Amino acid sequence: MAVLASALFGSPTAFSQQELMVDMSKTIAPIQPTMYGIFFEDINFAADGGLYAELIKNRSFEFTIPMMGWSQPNSDRHSYNNESGFAMPVKYFEGEGNLNFIRVQVKNAGGYELHNEGFRGMGIKEGNTYRFTFDAKQMEGAISAVNAFLLDEEGNTIAEVSVPVSGSEWKNYTVEIVPNKTVMKGSLKLTFDGTGELGLDMVSLFPTDTWNGRENGLRKDLVQLLNDLDPGFLRFPGGCIVEGRTLARRYQWKKTVGPVEERPSLVNRWNTEFDHRLTPDYYQSFGLGFFEYFQLSEDMGAEPLPILSCGIACQFNTGELVPMDELEPYVQDALDLIEFANGSTDTPWGKVRADMGHPEPFNMKYIGVGNEQWGPEYIERYKVFNQAISEKYPDIIIVSGSGPFPDGDYFEYGMKELKEIGAEIIDEHYYRSPEWFKENATRYDSYDRNGPKIFAGEYAAQSVAIASPDNKNNWDTALAEAAFMTGLERNAEVVQLTSYAPLMAHAEGWQWTPDMIWFNNLESYGTPNYYVQKLYSTNKGTDLISVTQDGKNLVGQDELYASATLDSKAGEVIVKVVNTSSDAQEVSLNFKGKKLKGKGKVLVLKEENLSQENSFESQKEISPVTEEIKVKGTTAMYEASPYSLNVIRIPIK
């Protein structure tokens, strides 16, 4: 073949030649539409301060320290502040929801100021329109207006507006404001006309240019990066955030739906998790709640996959257990969520969905019970959920978990028990070294084809060590993931959902690395890992076929990895070849079973420096380029560059 290839295409320039056979005569398994998806967790300021476009931190004064995020530069809490004034939090009532407001006491209108710092500042764009809203009521005296100023980093005004206020009852005020300058770390300043006391609550600032133009919606550039992945599913809201450090602080979906102003805030479980990245100002407003997650899934054409507490707090923290005889409310939450997502408007929770503006069902098909719990305590509780959900909603597919690790006692016990139960889909997690990912490209080759299906729900190669703040999203990690993913795809009979984790990180608000998408207050970019995921998800095909070398799967021989699919919709064959060696390798692709139609194309992701990363300054340093591949009869030759992922697409007759 080498002589023939040389005659057809000229002398090869690569260091070695590899002959691969692509068999299109029969398909092995369908590629599920859910094969490549998105795992979202509110970690690294991914929701508040990130995807949720609100610019005000602690807008309704509900943090444990009610004035966190706010400052009064001309005031002193140990003074009467006769030349300025002072604002103090006031509690509406005990319970849950919007509990606090502030009483702004202005003694000298020329001296008092109230500032909000935003989420590590506010990203403000020149010429864009921002909607400033707040609730207010006059309490004493004659404060007649609230004046809002957007400030740059030096404290200069870049936009201002005055809003008249009146009346002793709560009213909502809305005004639009357009800045004359772009700033990365702006802030909001409020002043007041007149003196007296004013009640103030739900102080909010949103860009009007949000995803799909929704009022008070999601940050457009971040959703666009997600949408560009063409995800098959959206898993939400986590992650360890589902479990909470304690059961009282677990994620409870019912508290995240309904009017935004009535949703109770909750301290984020990642706020003080790591000493190396303490973020005590990390809370959840739940403006991005379950309704918004379902809506986002629908926008992207992705299956919604919510994960719920199974009655165990995070076992890396307290591991607090709800007693078995008190588990019923947790199970009911799962049943009610299915009704919220799929029920008619005549049902209680279907009506809640309809009242929020979506009378049509979301057609949820999957629900997850527990995140990465382990041990008999999890299995005991999972069985109760499994029985209750299966009896009432037999068509719902339940996702279970095998624990936090891909091997060891926890994993082996969980897999054994879940198989005996007859679990439908088991979620596996792995945060390991790049070497582990390359060595485990064969992980699923021996899995039982008649057993539970697999959800590779959280994975990412760690350049240093799990949870290290020094992990990098470099090409070494992304290339290893690309090699591993050939094994996921090659085992599509078993593996039906996969997702990288974590998804997003604020450049100054992160707790965990690595992360697939990085953003600051103005910009965002995809890492090399993002582009690996994108190449797989947008080139998944519809049916798995075999690609072999000497009759064997290509799983690291000569540091090459491969998988292949047919795309019946596009009428193409897709071959993914990953070269993890430092040498170029000439690949001879021999096709059988169908005829090829002329030349194809190759989407190439490559970088000879394994330490290379993308950055805000060079956002597409490592990103795909498109090349041509020539076809001669049933053969195509291609030179795979050192350290490269190559997605080859050739039309078929």
Side-chain angles (χ1 to χ4, degrees), residues 604-642:
V604 185
L605 200 56
K606 63 182 178 180
E607 171 58 53
E608 295 201 22
N609 177 8
L610 291 175
S611 298
Q612 185 65 54
E613 304 171 63
N614 290 348
S615 64
F616 288 107
E617 295 72 29
S618 186
Q619 297 182 10
K620 294 188 176 181
E621 180 71 23
I622 302 175
S623 58
V625 296
T626 302
E627 300 176 355
E628 284 189 358
I629 182 169
K630 293 181 180 179
V631 176
K632 210 69 161 182
T634 60
T635 302
M637 295 290 293
Y638 181 73
E639 184 179 293
S641 298

Side-chain angles (χ1 to χ4, degrees), residues 632-650:
K632 210 69 161 182
T634 60
T635 302
M637 295 290 293
Y638 181 73
E639 184 179 293
S641 298
Y643 304 133
S644 64
L645 163 60
N646 309 272
V647 180
I648 301 163
R649 300 191 66 124
I650 300 174

Side-chain angles (χ1 to χ4, degrees), residues 460-478:
Q462 313 288 291
S463 64
V464 178
I466 186 170
S468 169
D470 299 321
N471 283 319
K472 303 296 183 184
N473 284 100
N474 58 30
W475 182 231
D476 188 28
T477 62

